[in-house]
Amino acid sequence: MTRVPRGYIARRRRTKMRSFASNFRGAHLRLNRMITQQVKRAFVSSHRDRGRQERDFRRLWITRINAATRIYKVFDSYSKLIHNLYKKKLILNRKMLAQVAVSNPNNLYTISNKIKIIN
């Protein structure tokens, strides 16, 4: 039988994986099987940690808003502030509220004056 030159598909797959592993070190950069294992592991970690990062930032924003509301005596607590925001249908996300609380607390006063509920 004559020799049949193989196609480029497997080589293309390996070079694609190798491009993902360009910043790895040692065998994780050089050996094909190790490259595929480490790239898969890196993708799993990045997917998991994106959700974890969102949760961590949300916790940070809530902590900042809570601290600002207590320090500047805007409301008694974070939960009352958010409750009154929803009651008045003034939808501000926590990221923006935290930014306002850190950078300019006077604007936090104006927001709280808009949503204060008089009994």
Side-chain angles (χ1 to χ4, degrees):
M1 263 185 149
T2 58
R3 180 182 170 274
V4 177
R6 297 298 305 262
Y8 59 92
I9 295 170
R11 185 173 63 245
R12 189 170 57 185
R13 185 182 67 240
R14 288 190 197 108
T15 54
K16 185 177 176 183
M17 286 300 237
R18 194 172 287 266
S19 70
F20 287 131
S22 62
N23 293 327
F24 294 172
R25 294 175 60 184
H28 298 170
L29 174 66
R30 290 177 183 84
L31 304 178
N32 283 324
R33 187 182 299 171
M34 191 76 80
I35 286 173
T36 56
Q37 290 172 358
Q38 291 303 313
V39 166
K40 284 180 186 176
R41 184 174 180 181
F43 282 153
V44 167
S45 297
S46 68
H47 182 264
R48 180 194 61 226
D49 292 337
R50 272 194 295 274
R52 188 171 290 169
Q53 183 183 27
E54 290 172 14
R55 286 192 298 272
D56 289 344
F57 270 111
R58 184 181 168 97
R59 285 177 62 191
L60 175 69
W61 298 330
I62 289 171
T63 306
R64 284 180 175 174
I65 296 167
N66 192 17
T69 54
R70 288 171 191 264
I71 288 172
Y72 301 117
K73 295 183 177 35
V74 177
F75 274 98
D76 293 337
S77 67
Y78 161 81
S79 61
K80 290 182 181 175
L81 174 70
I82 295 296
H83 176 70
N84 289 333
L85 275 173
Y86 276 102
K87 241 180 181 172
K88 287 290 188 177
K89 295 183 177 140
L90 186 67
I91 306 300
L92 287 171
N93 62 1
R94 286 158 181 84
K95 182 179 180 180
M96 292 299 121
L97 275 175
Q99 192 67 33
V100 166
V102 169
S103 63
N104 197 351
N106 293 333
N107 289 345
L108 198 63
Y109 276 121
T110 58
I111 291 169
S112 68
N113 289 336
K114 292 272 187 191
I115 64 170
K116 288 249 168 125
I117 297 171
I118 301 167
N119 292 329

